Amino acid sequence: FFFYWVTNCKMAAKIIPLSELADHNSDKSCWLAIDGIVYDITKFLGEHPGGEEVVIEVSGGDSTEAFEDVGHSEDARNMLKKYKIGELPEEEKEQCLAAQQDSKKSDGCLIS
């Protein structure tokens, strides 16, 4: 029974608002959100093929557009899974999605 419960029970994702995400935009702590999922990729920075600078530049907020514009491979998308630490609140996911759909001239989803 315990094994069944552990393997079939989904834990609720930690909710990380954009205001908290904004504090993690350096090589010491590098978080970003892609499609509403928050990743801590600090340990990956040195391995990023494009260099850590390009990642740090878009960290601390919604990086979906930057991630998609580069055209990352399926392998890159799968690699992200191990860095997942939470999700944006539902209303912020919707806000970011609307900003992306509204205009390609946006630099991502920002809280004012």
Side-chain angles (χ1 to χ4, degrees), residues 34-49:
I34 299 171
D35 294 326
I37 308 297
V38 178
Y39 303 95
D40 177 353
I41 59 163
T42 310
K43 293 179 181 176
F44 178 71
L45 287 176
E47 300 172 40
H48 187 262

Side-chain angles (χ1 to χ4, degrees), residues 3-97:
F3 178 76
Y4 174 81
W5 181 80
V6 169
T7 57
N8 291 295
C9 179
K10 285 193 172 186
M11 299 293 289
K14 179 180 178 187
I15 302 300
I16 301 170
L18 286 167
S19 57
E20 181 179 349
L21 184 60
D23 294 333
H24 301 274
N25 60 354
S26 73
D27 62 342
K28 306 284 184 249
S29 182
C30 186
W31 295 8
L32 45 80
I34 299 171
D35 294 326
I37 308 297
V38 178
Y39 303 95
D40 177 353
I41 59 163
T42 310
K43 293 179 181 176
F44 178 71
L45 287 176
E47 300 172 40
H48 187 262
E52 64 184 52
E53 299 81 18
V54 296
V55 180
I56 293 169
E57 190 176 297
V58 298
S59 67
D62 179 53
S63 304
T64 304
E65 198 168 325
F67 184 82
E68 295 299 340
D69 285 350
V70 171
H72 284 90
S73 67
E74 197 60 37
D75 286 343
R77 294 171 190 282
N78 287 329
M79 259 203 292
L80 269 179
K81 293 175 185 176
K82 69 180 175 183
Y83 298 105
K84 179 181 176 179
I85 57 169
E87 297 183 10
L88 295 175
E90 238 7 87
E91 62 275 7
E92 290 182 358
K93 284 182 188 180
E94 291 170 12
Q95 177 186 357
C96 290
L97 181 60

